[in-house]
């Protein structure tokens, strides 16, 4: 069977929905961590709930990705760029899982159970310990910064393909539009 020209529709839908939500989470996170105003009272529960939803969506997305073949990269792409593309996808996936898990674990370690909007309470996934809380709190910030860097690199690579190389890579992830050379 010939390889697909595009990522699976569910992968594409999840990619764009999650891209918007993850970037929003970075800003919500920084916003709530740097204010003591009343905004914290709604930003914090929104951040926790959206973060847990993103963790569940990342699992669905990884499942679809592993079950379906990904479209191949252009044959004329240098080997180092292929390796960099593969490595950057792995980094993005690792961060999509570790950041929300670390967020959840840090609240467990801090002794405040994660309660989602709607009142559902998640189990604790780490032992209560102020030292562990402090380490995970720092790790959450560090990983979020790393994700921001990886996102900027990924955005630059996507625009490089779309505007400079003008190949079909962007179209593999485009919702419906996007140029693709036939033949
Ligand atoms: C993709 C998912 C997530 C992203 C991108 C993200 C990002 C961030 C960022 C950027 C900060 C601010 C860090 C700082 O300025 O020091 C933050 C703080 C925080 N996050 Fe997350 N987060 C995610 C998921 C979660 C989850 C699932 C939870 C909990 C269940 C969570 C709980 C928290 C808490 C409690 C804080 C600290 C708030 C404070 O002390 O002011 N995060 N997050
Ligand atoms: C935080 C935001 C983002 C994350 C976490 C992310 C993550 C990913 C991941 C993991 C893939 C591999 C395919 C998959 O399994 O889904 C991918 C592919 C892709 N992404 Fe993103 N993405 C983000 C934002 C963006 C943005 C803003 C653009 C474009 C402006 C973009 C363009 C693409 C393109 C063209 C592909 C297909 C090419 C490839 O295989 O690398 N992404 N993205």
């Amino acid at each position: 069977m010939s390889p697909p020209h595009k990522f699976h529709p569910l992968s594409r839908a999840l990619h764009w929905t999650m891209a918007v939500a993850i970037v929003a989470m970075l800003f919500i996170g920084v916003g709530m961590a740097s204010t003591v105003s009343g905004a914290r009272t709604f930003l914090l529960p929104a951040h926790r709930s959206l973060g847990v939803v993103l963790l569940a969506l990342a699992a669905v997305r990884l499942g679809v990705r592993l079950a379906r073949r990904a479209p191949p990269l252009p044959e004329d792409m240098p080997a180092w760029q292929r390796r960099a593309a593969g490595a950057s996808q792995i980094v993005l996936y690792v961060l999509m899982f570790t950041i929300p898990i670390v967020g959840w674990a840090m609240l467990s370690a801090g002794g405040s159970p994660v309660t989602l909007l709607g009142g559902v309470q998640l189990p604790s996934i780490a032992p209560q310990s102020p030292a562990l809380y402090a380490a995970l709190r720092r790790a959450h910030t560090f990983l979020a910064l790393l994700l921001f860097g990886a996102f900027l690199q990924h955005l630059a690579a996507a625009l490089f393909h779309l505007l400079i190389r003008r190949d079909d890579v962007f179209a593999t992830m485009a919702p419906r539009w996007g140029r693709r050379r036939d033949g």
Side-chain angles (χ1 to χ4, degrees):
M1 208 169 67
S2 62
H5 293 304
K6 281 176 165 277
F7 281 93
H8 186 270
L10 184 53
S11 288
R12 282 183 276 140
L14 286 171
H15 175 273
W16 293 110
T17 313
M18 290 176 72
V20 172
I22 289 173
V23 173
M25 282 292 280
L26 290 169
F27 285 96
I28 294 172
V30 172
M32 74 188 187
S34 53
T35 183
V36 286
S37 75
R40 268 183 78 84
T41 38
F42 69 86
L43 286 182
L44 196 52
H47 184 86
R48 285 192 308 243
S49 298
L50 186 53
V52 172
V53 169
L54 280 168
L55 175 61
L57 292 182
V60 175
R61 180 170 172 182
L62 182 61
V64 181
R65 180 64 200 273
L66 294 177
R68 298 296 178 127
R69 278 175 81 181
L73 289 168
E75 276 167 19
D76 62 343
M77 238 174 99
W80 72 267
Q81 284 185 17
R82 291 167 173 277
R83 280 197 297 274
S88 109
Q89 288 188 9
I90 292 172
V91 168
L92 287 165
Y93 267 107
V94 167
L95 293 172
M96 282 191 282
F97 281 96
T98 47
I99 295 177
I101 291 173
V102 167
W104 180 358
M106 102 190 165
L107 287 176
S108 304
S112 32
V114 177
T115 308
L116 304 181
L117 295 171
V120 180
Q121 190 171 312
L122 300 184
S124 171
I125 56 166
Q128 270 192 44
S129 148
L132 182 61
Y133 169 81
L136 292 172
R137 178 69 184 81
R138 278 196 300 275
H140 194 67
T141 302
F142 174 74
L143 293 170
L145 275 173
L146 218 57
L147 176 62
F148 188 57
F151 161 68
L152 291 182
Q153 176 279 325
H154 181 69
L155 177 64
L159 295 179
F160 173 68
H161 282 286
L162 182 68
L163 304 174
I164 296 174
R165 269 186 61 99
R166 292 167 175 251
D167 57 23
D168 296 334
V169 170
F170 194 88
T172 63
M173 192 44 96
R176 234 182 307 167
W177 37 269
R179 60 193 291 278
R180 187 178 79 75
R181 285 190 301 268
D182 288 310

